[in-house]
Amino acid sequence: GITAKMAAPMSNVDEIRDRVILGEFGVRNVHTTDYPGNYPGYDDTWDLEKFKKNFRIDIVHSDENMLEFDMIGIDAAIANAFRRILLAEVPTMAIEKVFVYNNTSIIQDEILAHRLGLVPIKADPRLFEYRNPEDQEGTEIDTIQLQLKVKCTRNPRAPKDSSDPKELYLNHMVYSGDIKWLPIGNQADVFADAKIGPVHGDILLAQLRPGQELDIVMHCVKGIGKDHAKFSPVATASYRLLPEITLLQTIEGEQAERLKRCFSPGVIEIQNVNGRKVAKVVNSRLDTCSREVLRHDDLKSLVKLGRVRDHFIFSVESTGILPADVLVTEAINVLISKCQKFLTELDAAEMD
């Protein structure tokens, strides 16, 4: 089985190449060292076929807005490139210009505009172009127009002795659900099925009192997270390395119980072997790598903590504009187009 393979001792060189060691006073072997010619007897020249054979992506969990997948057999530099592109370079649509025709609420125009900018807008950015910086007016291909028009009034049917604003007033809470889409040009036909508007309708934007009103028109444009965080398509995108826990000898009895408590739940289980309680590593993936075990003097020499250098566990959480799996695909496309641009520039430079 897998456990037998894991338990086989690695050679010292293989450990330096393929593992990050979690020691008591720091993390060792952090850097990639498998460069061509660095290790005698290892052929580390990059080879596409070898890469194809070793590289794989396993999807662990996927739903509307959350994706967890393993990316195995790739260098940290590339994995990190995907993470950074997800955060800052996958484009989305967000409110960029706010035209305040009337705002008698107590929230200042700037604060309100800033809050509106951060509301995620459900619109597929792949169907829009970037707006030219010199364009004052947006067109149907690069702009979405939204409107927010709310006026607060007294509720004539409120109970006499009530002091609850919910009963006394109408429209006193302005939510993102009150933002309505105003199609420009042919947008009403093109986006008939796509319900353009805020992803969530329950974001509180402002509170009003009777007589106060908001009358605002907004323009959404396409942008990237580098320019402003409101364009970032993810709530979070991060990765961690797969933890690896090796027990160097049989641990039983009270020590086994204590060992189990040193790790996250589900990492170590106690099995009954001939009437003795023996600790076994059942799922090292669940560990948070707190290194609690290294605080126990009698346990720290019995356990080896490491992480697999080329096994990245990604978790991508979308803001809801695009599904998380689409975001990862888009991030890969961004990296591809960057590479293509770079190669084109190189060719152009050689021409000169």
Side-chain angles (χ1 to χ4, degrees):
I2 294 177
T3 42
K5 194 185 98 224
M6 284 305 205
M10 301 179 73
S11 77
N12 204 6
V13 175
D14 280 335
E15 185 175 280
I16 294 172
R17 287 165 57 90
D18 303 335
R19 296 291 182 271
V20 176
I21 309 292
L22 303 177
E24 189 170 2
F25 299 108
V27 187
R28 304 200 304 279
N29 288 354
V30 223
H31 304 291
T32 309
T33 54
D34 53 358
Y35 300 116
N38 204 359
Y39 291 99
Y42 285 89
D43 174 32
D44 285 322
T45 49
W46 197 81
D47 172 36
L48 182 62
E49 289 310 314
K50 194 168 82 177
F51 174 77
K52 278 185 185 171
K53 197 170 110 281
N54 294 330
F55 179 73
R56 65 174 218 267
I57 288 184
D58 301 337
I59 292 175
V60 178
H61 166 83
S62 172
D63 58 38
E64 280 295 279
N65 295 331
M66 192 69 200
L67 175 67
E68 185 179 325
F69 65 94
D70 290 15
M71 193 183 272
I72 305 162
I74 201 165
D75 190 67
I78 310 294
N80 190 44
F82 289 136
R83 182 191 66 82
R84 287 182 53 177
I85 289 171
L86 277 166
L87 286 170
E89 296 186 55
V90 174
T92 61
M93 304 293 287
I95 295 171
E96 174 74 0
K97 281 202 158 51
V98 176
F99 303 93
V100 183
Y101 290 102
N102 194 1
N103 172 14
T104 50
S105 77
I106 58 166
I107 294 197
Q108 298 93 325
D109 296 1
E110 294 85 347
I111 305 288
L112 186 61
H114 179 251
R115 287 177 72 79
L116 288 167
L118 295 172
V119 174
I121 303 296
K122 182 120 185 123
D124 192 333
R126 296 168 293 183
L127 306 175
F128 291 88
E129 302 294 327
Y130 287 102
R131 191 199 277 201
N132 285 330
E134 56 268 15
D135 282 3
Q136 287 304 307
E137 290 299 311
T139 62
E140 58 202 19
I141 58 165
D142 59 25
T143 305
I144 297 172
Q145 192 166 314
L146 302 170
Q147 186 179 40
L148 177 61
K149 202 167 183 175
V150 185
K151 186 170 166 68
C152 177
T153 51
R154 285 191 187 280
N155 180 6
R157 295 195 186 77
K160 282 281 175 285
D161 52 350
S162 168
S163 62
D164 181 7
K166 287 190 182 64
E167 294 174 348
L168 288 174
Y169 313 129
L170 299 170
N171 293 341
H172 75 114
M173 308 272 264
V174 183
Y175 288 104
S176 55
D178 301 323
I179 296 176
K180 297 289 173 266
W181 172 47
L182 303 176
I184 313 174
N186 64 3
Q187 286 181 346
D189 309 328
V190 178
F191 302 106
D193 307 333
K195 293 183 168 56
I196 290 184
V199 175
H200 307 284
D202 56 357
I203 303 170
L204 184 66
L205 298 173
Q207 292 195 15
L208 305 178
R209 284 295 175 264
Q212 297 182 347
E213 62 179 305
L214 288 176
D215 184 1
I216 291 174
V217 172
M218 294 153 277
H219 284 181
C220 303
V221 300
K222 184 172 172 177
I224 58 175
K226 258 188 187 176
D227 178 47
H228 191 294
K230 68 186 175 187
F231 293 115
S232 180
V234 292
T236 135
S238 62
Y239 61 72
R240 60 198 180 98
L241 292 174
L242 177 76
E244 186 185 58
I245 299 161
T246 320
L247 303 182
L248 302 176
Q249 66 179 63
T250 311
I251 302 177
E252 46 186 306
E254 183 272 333
Q255 276 194 325
E257 293 282 359
R258 212 152 25 98
L259 185 78
K260 179 178 173 178
R261 289 200 301 271
C262 286
F263 294 98
S264 306
V267 176
I268 289 192
E269 279 182 11
I270 292 178
Q271 295 174 350
N272 200 328
V273 181
N274 305 332
R276 296 185 325 218
K277 293 177 173 179
V278 178
K280 286 273 191 296
V281 180
V282 283
N283 188 354
S284 61
R285 183 194 178 95
L286 298 173
D287 193 38
T288 54
C289 292
S290 62
R291 297 188 280 181
E292 164 72 17
V293 67
L294 300 177
R295 295 179 60 215
H296 298 255
D297 290 329
D298 57 337
L299 293 177
K300 67 182 177 190
S301 56
L302 313 180
V303 183
K304 190 169 192 178
L305 302 178
R307 286 178 180 264
V308 183
R309 189 193 299 286
D310 64 351
H311 187 136
F312 296 91
I313 302 172
F314 270 82
S315 66
V316 178
E317 186 184 343
S318 163
T319 53
I321 298 174
L322 291 170
D325 54 340
V326 176
L327 290 179
V328 175
T329 320
E330 285 299 302
I332 294 170
N333 288 337
V334 170
L335 189 60
I336 292 172
S337 60
K338 281 180 175 248
C339 295
Q340 281 166 342
K341 183 180 176 203
F342 182 60
L343 291 171
T344 323
E345 292 288 332
L346 273 182
D347 291 343
E350 280 170 17
M351 293 304 216
D352 303 345

